[in-house]
Amino acid sequence: MWRKIWSPSNRRTLCCNIITAFILNLFLEWMERKSFGEVIHFINERTYVFLFNVAILFVCLSVVFLVRKKIFVYTMITGVWVLIGLTNGLVLNGRKTPFTAVDLTVVKSILPVLNSYLELWQIVLLVLLLVAAVVGLVCLCLYSPVSRGLFDKRANFLFVFLLLLAFGGFAYVGVGRGQLISKFDNPINGYQDYGVVYGFCVTALDTGIDRPINYSREQVRKLKNKIAKALEEKEAAENPENSREPNIIFIQLESFFDLTQVKGLRLSEDPIPFFHHLQETTTSGRLRVPVYGAGTINTEFEVITGMSTNYFGTGEYPYRSVLQKKTCESIAYWLKEDSYASTVIHNNNASFYDRYKVFANLGFDNFITLENMEVDNWTEAGWAKDSVLTGYILDTMQKTKEKDVIYTISVQAHGDYPTGSQEDARIQVTGEGYKESYLNQVTYYANQISEMDDFLEDLLGQLENCGEDTMVIAYGDHLPGLDFETEDLKEGNKYDTPYFIWDNFGYNASHRKEESENVKASELASKVLAQVNIHSGTINQFHQAMKDTKNEGKNLKLLQYDMLYGADFSHGEDEKLEPTTLCYSLNPVRVTKVKKTEGKYLLTGENFNRYSRVYVNGILTSSSLQSPTVLEIKASALKDGDEITIHQVSKTNSSITLNKSDIFTFEEAAVEVLDGEETEP
């Protein structure tokens, strides 16, 4: 048996695997670090870790011992890792976090916005390369040579088993010596310290929340009793005059950051003077967010739910994992107890990061997105400008009878930032030692956040005298992808963004000194609710009553595990959270009349836009948008008695209908005939 295991063929394959794994690992590390010198430094400083990464690749390549079409399998395995390396290098050019296994779950959300990151020729080239790769693999599978040497399956399976045992021993030594860890604080440091291969594998295997050792019904009951007792003491000390039920508006500002805090940059003028004014006159501070350069939805998740992403897998997006099918405590559910209407407003598409699925599981009533907006102003990078949000926020407050909690998600300052000349920009950014292309990017960004600052000033100006108690909480979701590191900042950390809390009834102006502090994203909503003595919701109560107590982190993890992965002892049978049915427009699309002109029918109505699709008797019919009140179709598409509905479809997937009009029954006798080419009602 040993002779069969140690055959010349297996020895050749073994040597080939070792060499391939070593070269492949060098390539992956070079794509991560963009410097061969840094790769050498990594090998010198973390020799064991580098060799362990080689060992992982070697184990992957060991599959070739079990097949006869070795060239095909070699190509498949090395091709996958080369693709991971190339993708990681490209991703790091556009954001600061590396490519992880979790990113594979958001591919369908990223594909529709590739044009914001790549030029058309690059997208075409990418598609052609992918097609060529698939065709090449199919041909290789069909026509690659078959090994004709000695091939004993039992001997080779035993050989692979022995290799796996050796790998297990290698890993055991590494863990025992503290050279390897099973979880990173963040993927950026993880990839740098432990290598791309190990980092990618950790993000693939480390998912969900680990079950706490002390998890049980009794432990959850004890914790809830402790929270209730502490909350009673807190409520007893509260000033009842602060008790209010105001409208609460969160504004999550895409990549919003204070450029004046960056060392070495000179700005021709302050890009965010209004924000700076608010920092001096109302509650403000730094918000510790869980992501850097990208990962908006994890900051969003923490603010909305009060939960911490620290307890999930490395680089995990709960939106793309547990929240796909599981309801979760949120500010929307908390405030339902106080009869609040809950709305999310986002000037991007509904399906990005599967928000159209997730927000129903977070208890929101309405989700107003790009598909039901009229957007006239767009950035050079292709994103809707944030000024459009003002009208929809005010409209929501007017249309809903209840008090409102509105979660607004901005998009204007989203990357990728153009490197072309910005000489016509109002605000200019200069600095010694920076490339012109980089300064162009920062200049573009400075002018975008300046317009976002104008948006905030306009919104708060209109809310000041709106006639209803209203609070606004605005903050950046993460730093922009412009390579700012902690050492580049005058104060704070690269995981800190600015925030403020403003209201039109004077609390945060008069209590600015005692309320201003640095807070975690998961604590922000509870801080806001505490200001007006609102204590509904278990997670909210936990933050308000148990902050800075012993075992705070362990207890929060216990509650998160119980609610999302455990038996949900936190809620009784009558407290179980049910998903909502999202309403995508407070201004319904509808058809009111049909007119005819020169072989065409004009469907006149309300709230049509580029995402409106005409269905006749349930079948999609070709149409063109003439105006927000007119859709045009061929006259041959309709006959007497047909039923017409207008579907508002997802920007990224027209097969997803978000909302649709009531049925309009076509009556040929009621059609108004127009003269000439008139297309307006």
Side-chain angles (χ1 to χ4, degrees):
M1 178 64 76
W2 177 249
R3 289 183 179 179
K4 293 179 179 179
I5 291 175
W6 199 241
S7 65
S9 174
N10 281 355
R11 291 200 299 272
R12 286 193 299 271
T13 302
L14 183 67
C15 291
C16 185
N17 283 5
I18 293 172
I19 295 170
T20 303
F22 188 84
I23 294 173
L24 193 55
N25 196 41
L26 285 174
F27 167 76
L28 290 164
E29 293 304 324
W30 181 77
M31 289 300 297
E32 164 73 16
R33 301 164 201 279
K34 303 296 193 307
S35 165
F36 193 71
E38 288 191 20
V39 174
I40 297 299
H41 178 74
F42 173 64
I43 295 173
N44 288 334
E45 292 292 318
R46 312 277 286 179
T47 305
Y48 181 93
V49 171
F50 178 82
L51 293 176
F52 190 79
N53 279 265
V54 172
I56 294 174
L57 294 170
F58 175 79
V59 167
C60 293
L61 291 167
S62 295
V63 176
V64 299
F65 286 107
L66 308 177
V67 297
R68 285 188 177 276
K69 288 199 171 187
K70 297 185 184 300
I71 294 177
F72 170 70
V73 175
Y74 255 118
T75 304
M76 279 285 293
I77 296 172
T78 56
V80 167
W81 281 108
V82 167
L83 184 60
I84 289 172
L86 290 171
T87 304
N88 186 48
L90 289 172
V91 165
L92 287 172
N93 285 336
R95 72 182 197 194
K96 299 304 107 188
T97 51
F99 177 65
T100 69
V102 179
D103 288 316
L104 297 174
T105 66
V106 296
V107 167
K108 69 176 183 179
S109 295
I110 295 171
L111 289 177
V113 297
L114 269 182
N115 62 323
S116 296
Y117 295 91
L118 302 176
E119 295 182 19
L120 179 61
W121 71 267
Q122 293 174 313
I123 295 175
V124 172
L125 179 61
L126 181 62
V127 171
L128 291 175
L129 288 174
L130 288 174
V131 171
V134 171
V135 172
L137 284 174
V138 171
C139 293
L140 195 61
C141 179
L142 295 174
Y143 304 113
S144 63
V146 177
S147 174
R148 302 193 181 281
L150 180 64
F151 185 78
D152 188 302
K153 281 189 176 181
R154 288 193 305 170
N156 285 7
F157 267 108
L158 180 58
F159 189 30
V160 171
F161 177 71
L162 292 173
L163 292 175
L164 289 175
L165 282 180
F167 175 77
F170 195 19
Y172 181 78
V173 171
V175 173
R177 293 172 53 188
Q179 297 276 6
L180 303 174
I181 59 175
S182 60
K183 188 178 183 68
F184 308 142
D185 290 335
N186 65 77
I188 301 172
N189 295 338
Y191 275 51
Q192 285 288 314
D193 294 341
Y194 296 94
V196 175
V197 177
Y198 189 70
F200 189 85
C201 291
V202 167
T203 62
L205 299 174
D206 178 28
T207 59
I209 301 175
D210 296 332
R211 179 187 174 102
I213 296 175
N214 63 340
Y215 178 65
S216 67
R217 181 193 297 272
E218 181 61 20
Q219 198 65 33
V220 174
R221 185 189 65 79
K222 286 181 179 180
L223 178 55
K224 288 198 67 176
N225 288 341
K226 186 183 294 186
I227 294 170
K229 184 177 179 180
L231 192 62
E232 284 181 11
E233 295 175 0
K234 182 178 179 64
E235 288 179 314
E238 286 176 343
N239 184 351
E241 293 182 1
N242 294 335
S243 296
R244 294 174 182 265
E245 292 185 345
N247 298 309
I248 301 173
I249 303 172
F250 289 88
I251 304 178
Q252 180 174 285
L253 297 164
E254 171 63 42
S255 300
F256 190 84
F257 169 69
D258 186 356
L259 273 181
T260 66
Q261 292 297 313
V262 180
K263 302 172 185 175
L265 288 181
R266 294 188 294 273
L267 291 85
S268 61
E269 63 180 87
D270 183 357
I272 54 171
F274 183 67
F275 199 100
H276 285 147
H277 167 71
L278 290 172
Q279 287 180 311
E280 295 174 357
T281 58
T282 192
T283 298
S284 64
R286 294 195 296 269
L287 185 71
R288 177 57 56 90
V289 297
V291 290
Y292 166 56
T296 294
I297 51 173
N298 276 3
T299 299
E300 187 176 308
F301 168 80
E302 290 203 355
V303 175
I304 289 176
T305 66
M307 294 186 179
S308 172
T309 54
N310 288 341
Y311 307 120
F312 288 86
T314 300
E316 182 175 354
Y317 300 129
Y319 275 26
R320 294 294 296 141
S321 55
V322 65
L323 291 189
Q324 290 281 304
K325 296 182 179 179
K326 182 79 173 178
T327 55
C328 176
E329 273 208 8
S330 70
I331 192 168
Y333 280 123
W334 301 340
L335 291 177
K336 284 188 189 302
E337 298 180 24
D338 295 290
S339 301
Y340 273 72
S342 55
T343 303
V344 177
I345 302 175
H346 183 30
N347 53 338
N348 199 11
N349 65 78
S351 59
F352 201 44
Y353 290 124
D354 280 354
R355 286 184 172 107
Y356 77 106
K357 294 179 182 178
V358 171
F359 285 142
N361 288 331
L362 290 173
F364 284 96
D365 302 315
N366 311 302
F367 186 22
I368 314 302
T369 65
L370 191 66
E371 288 88 351
N372 281 287
M373 290 181 175
E374 280 299 320
V375 181
D376 297 321
N377 296 315
W378 302 81
T379 70
E380 183 182 340
W383 305 104
K385 292 194 173 183
D386 291 344
S387 56
V388 73
L389 297 168
T390 302
Y392 289 96
I393 292 171
L394 297 173
D395 187 56
T396 299
M397 292 174 62
Q398 183 180 14
K399 292 286 175 60
T400 52
K401 296 179 181 179
E402 308 93 331
K403 301 174 293 293
D404 289 288
V405 55
I406 300 174
Y407 198 90
T408 311
I409 306 168
S410 147
V411 77
Q412 180 165 349
H414 206 295
D416 200 11
Y417 306 117
T419 57
S421 174
Q422 300 288 318
E423 60 184 15
D424 295 330
R426 179 173 59 85
I427 300 173
Q428 292 293 319
V429 181
T430 57
E432 295 181 4
Y434 294 105
K435 292 182 179 178
E436 182 180 354
S437 60
Y438 178 78
L439 289 174
N440 287 339
Q441 288 184 300
V442 181
T443 298
Y444 169 86
Y445 172 78
N447 284 273
Q448 298 311 314
I449 61 173
S450 176
E451 292 187 12
M452 294 163 75
D453 192 61
D454 293 340
F455 150 65
L456 289 174
E457 185 173 13
D458 177 52
L459 175 64
L460 268 59
Q462 297 198 51
L463 293 174
E464 180 71 51
N465 300 305
C466 68
E468 300 179 39
D469 285 351
T470 302
M471 303 178 74
V472 173
I473 307 93
Y475 58 92
D477 58 350
H478 54 69
L479 263 65
L482 290 169
D483 297 319
F484 299 140
E485 297 293 336
T486 298
E487 54 268 26
D488 299 321
L489 308 179
K490 295 176 183 177
E491 60 180 29
N493 184 285
K494 67 182 182 182
Y495 289 96
D496 292 336
T497 64
Y499 83 92
F500 70 76
I501 305 173
W502 171 93
D503 62 71
N504 62 0
F505 48 85
Y507 178 87
N508 280 286
S510 59
H511 294 76
R512 182 178 70 87
K513 288 186 178 180
E514 58 264 40
E515 288 287 355
S516 292
E517 61 177 338
N518 300 331
V519 297
K520 299 174 184 175
S522 58
E523 300 169 344
L524 182 61
S526 294
K527 175 180 175 64
V528 173
L529 297 183
Q531 290 185 349
V532 289
N533 298 347
I534 294 178
H535 308 297
S536 49
T538 301
I539 296 292
N540 178 43
Q541 292 172 352
F542 174 85
H543 284 301
Q544 292 179 349
M546 307 299 290
K547 185 178 179 181
D548 297 328
T549 58
K550 184 180 179 181
N551 296 324
E552 178 186 0
K554 290 181 179 179
N555 287 331
L556 179 58
K557 179 181 178 181
L558 178 70
L559 288 176
Q560 290 186 200
Y561 177 84
D562 175 57
M563 292 179 182
L564 297 179
Y565 297 95
D568 197 10
F569 299 130
S570 301
H571 299 102
E573 285 301 320
D574 58 339
E575 298 175 313
K576 298 298 182 184
L577 305 177
E578 296 295 331
T580 54
T581 299
L582 290 172
C583 170
Y584 288 92
S585 178
L586 299 177
N587 300 296
V589 60
R590 64 173 182 154
V591 177
T592 57
K593 189 181 293 185
V594 178
K595 301 180 181 182
K596 187 175 183 179
T597 176
E598 296 190 352
K600 301 172 184 176
Y601 279 125
L602 305 178
L603 309 182
T604 65
E606 297 175 347
N607 304 310
F608 304 146
N609 64 18
R610 69 180 71 185
Y611 307 110
S612 301
R613 301 291 182 269
V614 178
Y615 280 72
V616 177
N617 299 325
I619 299 173
L620 177 64
T621 301
S622 178
S623 63
S624 62
L625 177 70
Q626 301 299 310
S627 76
T629 58
V630 178
L631 287 167
E632 180 183 284
I633 63 173
K634 294 179 180 178
S636 58
L638 287 176
K639 63 180 184 298
D640 197 48
D642 281 347
E643 294 183 339
I644 303 170
T645 54
I646 310 300
H647 291 221
Q648 295 299 113
V649 301
S650 167
K651 174 187 176 183
T652 58
N653 186 347
S654 60
S655 65
I656 298 175
T657 294
L658 301 175
N659 54 291
K660 59 184 178 181
S661 69
D662 292 334
I663 294 173
F664 179 90
T665 302
F666 175 67
E667 297 177 1
E668 194 166 2
V671 172
E672 179 183 344
V673 179
L674 302 175
D675 294 328
E677 295 295 326
E678 184 180 357
T679 60
E680 291 290 341

